[in-house]
Amino acid sequence: MDLKVLLSSLNDFASLSLAESWDNVGLLVEPSPPHTVHTLFLTNDLTEEVMEEALQKKADLILSYHPPIFRPLKHITWKTWKERLVIQALENRVGIYSPHTAYDAAPQGVNSWLAKGLGVCTSRPIHPSKAPNYPTAGTHRVEFSVNCTEDLDKVISAVKEMADVSVTSFSTRTDDEEQTRISLNCSQEALIQVVAFLSQSRQFYQKTEILSLEKPLLLHTGMGRLCTLDESVSLATMIERIKRHLKLSHVRLALGVGRTLESPVKVVALCAGSGSTVLQGVQADLHLTGEMSHHDVLDAVSQGINVILCEHSNTERGFLSDLRDMLGAHLENKINIILSETDRDPLHVV
C-alpha cells in the first residue's frame, strides 16, 4: 500500500485532529517518495532495541504510539539515541508515525480499552473532544438589526474591509416593522473591530447581541473515562481485575482516607499513561492511571479516593493487540501488521 494512501486510512480510523494541541502526532519520519508499505510494525515506545527488531522484521512503517520525536531536534548526529533512531529509519527507508493522544481520545482507543478491564460498566469521557471543523468560521457571532437599506449598505461596506469576518442577513418583523437582521461570524481579533464599528452608532449598538461560538462535543470521544459499574465490587476485586487485564503481577495502591480493601468501588475515573491533569478534581471511588505525582496522589487520598498506579506504558501497551485486529479489518488485510516483542515498560518491580 502506498504510504500516502495508508496515512489517509489511518486518519480515517482515528483523526489526528483529536490529538491535544501540545502533542506531536502524525508522520514524523518520511522516506523519499514513492514509498510502499508492506509491513506495519506496532510499538508503544520506539527504543533502539525496538528499532533493531523492526529492521529485522523488514518493517516499512513503524507506528509508535508515543512520538519518538517530541522536542525539536537541533541536529541529526549519532550522539543521542533519538537522533540515531531518525538516522536508522532514513537509512533503511522506514517511516515513523505516531498517533499518541489521538488514540487516547478516540472512541475505540486506548482509554476505552483500559475501561474494558473494569467489568460491565457505562463510561463517558472526562474531558470530551470538540468537533474540529465547526463552526466553519469564527469564534464569535454578532447579531443586530437595521431598519433601512442605507444602514444595511453601510454595514456591508464596513464589514468587507475587515479580515476574518463573514456576514449573512435575513428579513424579520418586529412590532409590525420590517427589519433586516445582520449576523456576523468573526474571530476573537476581528471582534474588537466589529464592536468598535458598531459602537459608533447607538442605533446598532443598543440592539447588539454577541455570542461565543462553541464547537459541538463529539460522542464517546475525549480524554480519560469516567466509568460507572453496573454492580459495585470490592477494591480488592477491582485490583485483581486490573492486574488480569494488564497482565501485571503487581500494581501500586494508595488507599483513600477511611477506605479498606473491602470498600466498595462503583465509579472509576481512569486515564491511560500520566493521569494527574485529567483526573484532578474528578470525584470517584478509584483513580486508575499509569503514573501520578506524589502530591496529586495525596490530594486524591485526602478526599477518600483510592489510587492505583500501574506504570505509564503498562496502561497503554495492551491496546496494541486490539489495534492490530482493528487496523487489519480497517485496511482489509492489505498489509502485514505485526506487534513488537521487545517493547516493554522501562520500570519493573524487583
Side-chain angles (χ1 to χ4, degrees):
M1 182 179 291
D2 180 75
L3 176 60
K4 286 184 170 53
V5 174
L6 176 55
L7 293 177
S8 178
S9 294
L10 289 175
N11 198 62
D12 290 340
F13 174 77
S15 174
L16 294 177
S17 65
L18 299 176
E20 295 290 281
S21 59
W22 49 261
D23 208 354
N24 189 35
V25 296
L27 187 63
L28 305 184
V29 175
E30 179 182 10
S32 58
H35 186 64
T36 302
V37 177
H38 299 286
T39 298
L40 175 62
F41 182 89
L42 308 182
T43 184
N44 202 80
D45 292 294
L46 182 55
T47 62
E48 290 188 278
E49 184 181 10
V50 172
M51 173 62 83
E52 183 179 348
E53 179 193 4
L55 296 179
Q56 289 175 351
K57 294 181 177 177
K58 308 297 183 184
D60 303 295
L61 178 67
I62 297 171
L63 188 155
S64 176
Y65 166 74
H66 285 139
I69 303 173
F70 191 77
R71 298 183 182 89
L73 298 175
K74 293 185 177 181
H75 36 64
I76 305 296
T77 70
W78 205 249
K79 186 175 181 179
T80 68
W81 70 278
K82 290 193 174 183
E83 292 174 58
R84 291 194 292 270
L85 289 177
V86 175
I87 293 171
Q88 287 181 294
L90 290 173
E91 287 183 341
N92 291 276
R93 294 190 54 76
V94 178
I96 300 175
Y97 175 91
S98 177
H100 201 203
T101 52
Y103 278 12
D104 288 348
Q108 74 283 28
V110 181
N111 283 304
S112 294
W113 167 82
L114 185 57
K116 289 180 181 179
L118 304 179
V120 181
C121 64
T122 57
S123 68
R124 63 175 177 82
I126 295 173
H127 298 291
S129 297
K130 296 180 179 180
N133 299 317
Y134 185 89
T136 54
T139 58
H140 291 79
R141 178 171 295 155
V142 182
E143 294 188 350
F144 56 95
S145 297
V146 296
N147 296 322
C148 64
T149 303
E150 182 179 343
D151 288 339
L152 177 60
D153 292 341
K154 179 181 178 181
V155 170
I156 298 298
S157 176
V159 167
K160 284 183 177 178
E161 301 298 319
M162 301 179 191
D164 300 324
V165 179
S166 61
V167 59
T168 57
S169 62
F170 51 93
S171 298
T172 62
R173 177 176 288 275
T174 304
D175 298 328
D176 294 327
E177 182 182 9
E178 286 285 346
Q179 291 184 328
T180 299
R181 190 71 175 167
I182 304 295
S183 179
L184 305 177
N185 274 21
C186 61
S187 65
Q188 176 74 49
E189 295 77 13
L191 178 63
I192 298 173
Q193 289 181 276
V194 171
V195 170
F197 165 71
L198 294 176
S199 64
Q200 296 173 12
S201 170
R202 177 173 296 182
Q203 175 191 355
F204 294 158
Y205 199 54
Q206 288 183 342
K207 299 178 181 180
T208 296
E209 294 179 329
I210 301 177
L211 308 174
S212 177
L213 300 179
E214 290 288 336
K215 296 177 181 178
L217 302 180
L218 298 175
L219 287 176
H220 314 301
T221 306
M223 295 301 159
R225 293 293 183 270
L226 188 65
C227 307
T228 303
L229 299 174
D230 285 7
E231 297 182 6
S232 62
V233 298
S234 69
L235 176 59
T237 297
M238 180 55 67
I239 291 170
E240 292 307 311
R241 288 183 180 181
I242 291 168
K243 287 161 69 173
R244 184 165 57 248
H245 185 57
L246 300 183
K247 300 178 181 178
L248 297 174
S249 56
H250 299 85
V251 296
R252 291 191 287 164
L253 169 67
L255 282 172
V257 171
R259 303 295 187 256
T260 70
L261 289 175
E262 296 309 313
S263 295
V265 173
K266 179 72 172 180
V267 179
V268 180
L270 63 83
C271 178
S274 181
S276 286
T277 302
V278 173
L279 299 179
Q280 194 167 42
V282 179
Q283 290 301 309
D285 300 310
L286 171 66
H287 283 181
L288 169 63
T289 186
E291 60 179 324
M292 186 183 287
S293 78
H294 173 77
H295 296 287
D296 286 332
V297 172
L298 291 179
D299 285 343
V301 166
S302 72
Q303 300 171 60
I305 301 172
N306 304 300
V307 177
I308 293 179
L309 305 180
C310 308
E311 306 307 345
H312 190 112
S313 67
N314 288 336
T315 56
E316 305 161 336
R317 185 170 288 100
F319 166 71
L320 295 180
S321 294
D322 282 14
L323 178 63
R324 176 184 55 192
D325 297 337
M326 288 188 289
L327 286 181
H330 181 70
L331 300 173
E332 299 176 337
N333 297 311
K334 291 180 179 178
I335 61 174
N336 184 32
I337 304 176
I338 56 178
L339 282 179
S340 172
E341 297 177 8
T342 57
D343 174 43
R344 61 180 61 86
D345 195 275
L347 295 171
H348 60 276
V349 179
V350 295

